[in-house]
Amino acid sequence: QVTLRESGPALLKPTQTLTLTCTFSGFSLSTSGICVSWIRQPPGKALEWLALIDWDYDKHYRTSLKTRVTLSGDTSKNQVVLTLTNVDPLDTATYYCARARGGAPGHFDYWGQGILVTVSS
Amino acid sequence: EIVLTQSPVTLSLSPGERATLSCRASQGVGSSLAWYQQKPGQAPSLLIYDASHRATGIPGRFSGSGSGTDFTLTISSLEPEDFAVYYCQQRTNWPITFGQGTRLEIK
């Protein structure tokens, strides 16, 4: 059974660094064709793809966030960590991690429940 | 960046009716397009991938078609649980992009 779960802070102040952890089970990130991605959704708005790490641990980032976003993967812990520096109220969103298979870029067949992150002074 | 434009923004229909949702890409994406359904307070769930393939467990009333720049999601006969927001997503080029969504509401 494939599951993903996001964890991290619910509230941050502007300029702080957001660190979110995606803990998954039921698959291995080392399996060919498997990827894990972060996608966010501001309240009442559309989905926005942020970053993806694939089975070779290659990483892809949204261009507009490239200087602020970092992904890391830990096979032994089945975790993918997203770091977003210098947060702003515009980064307020529900952050989802999701699995893709069949290569990168991918389609997302399993999603975590999401975590709402609010940036406010 | 490939821009996906969904239409209509809102679609008002009654249970039992047929729903047709559109997604147009700013450049060709082949058949590398997916559709997701999102209900309030929930994560999106995959309905259709590679334009026309139903994901595991998706009822036969959902179908996808199209290639290149024009895609359609059809729900043949709406059930009460189908009223939700629908997003398309392309995986041809980086960055991965989503459409802005179509809200399917009960008339």
Side-chain angles (χ1 to χ4, degrees):
Chain A
Q1 180 187 3
V2 172
T3 65
L4 301 100
R5 187 183 76 251
E6 305 88 352
S7 58
L11 182 62
L12 283 167
K13 296 183 186 305
T15 75
Q16 290 185 323
T17 294
L18 171 64
T19 300
L20 293 173
T21 300
C22 176
T23 303
F24 55 87
S25 64
F27 67 95
S28 171
L29 188 53
S30 299
T31 300
S32 180
I34 293 291
C35 312
V36 173
S37 199
W38 285 92
I39 297 151
R40 71 181 179 183
Q41 186 172 37
K45 296 191 176 181
L47 301 163
E48 179 181 63
W49 174 78
L50 300 179
L52 179 146
I53 184 168
D54 71 19
W55 64 99
D56 279 338
Y57 286 75
D58 288 332
K59 299 155 193 171
H60 300 267
Y61 299 107
R62 184 174 196 82
T63 304
S64 61
L65 295 175
K66 211 164 190 174
T67 59
R68 299 172 53 211
V69 174
T70 304
L71 273 185
S72 63
D74 187 330
T75 305
S76 64
K77 294 182 179 178
N78 278 354
Q79 291 182 334
V80 171
V81 177
L82 174 81
T83 303
L84 180 64
T85 61
N86 192 27
V87 297
D88 177 89
L90 290 175
D91 295 312
T92 293
T94 297
Y95 287 74
Y96 297 100
C97 63
R99 185 190 86 157
R101 62 184 177 92
H107 294 147
F108 305 107
D109 58 352
Y110 287 93
W111 295 63
Q113 64 185 16
I115 181 169
L116 175 61
V117 177
T118 302
V119 180
S120 174
S121 54
Chain B
E1 173 174 320
I2 296 176
V3 176
L4 300 178
T5 303
Q6 292 185 241
S7 61
V9 172
T10 303
L11 184 57
S12 300
L13 293 170
S14 300
E17 290 193 291
R18 182 184 187 90
T20 303
L21 287 68
S22 174
C23 177
R24 176 164 289 178
S26 60
Q27 61 189 82
V29 299
S31 59
S32 297
L33 189 107
W35 291 93
Y36 300 86
Q37 178 191 68
Q38 187 177 32
K39 297 180 180 179
Q42 296 183 17
S45 60
L46 180 64
L47 293 173
I48 301 286
Y49 65 95
D50 291 346
S52 61
H53 295 86
R54 273 190 301 276
T56 303
I58 300 303
R61 64 181 182 274
F62 291 90
S63 63
S65 64
S67 66
T69 59
D70 290 294
F71 298 86
T72 301
L73 174 69
T74 302
I75 310 171
S76 59
S77 179
L78 286 165
E79 297 288 340
E81 61 268 26
D82 298 337
F83 292 92
V85 179
Y86 292 84
Y87 293 95
C88 57
Q89 175 240 326
Q90 66 82 21
R91 67 178 186 95
T92 291
N93 285 348
W94 299 103
I96 294 167
T97 51
F98 292 87
Q100 86 282 8
T102 289
R103 179 177 304 277
L104 179 55
E105 63 177 28
I106 298 177
K107 188 174 183 179

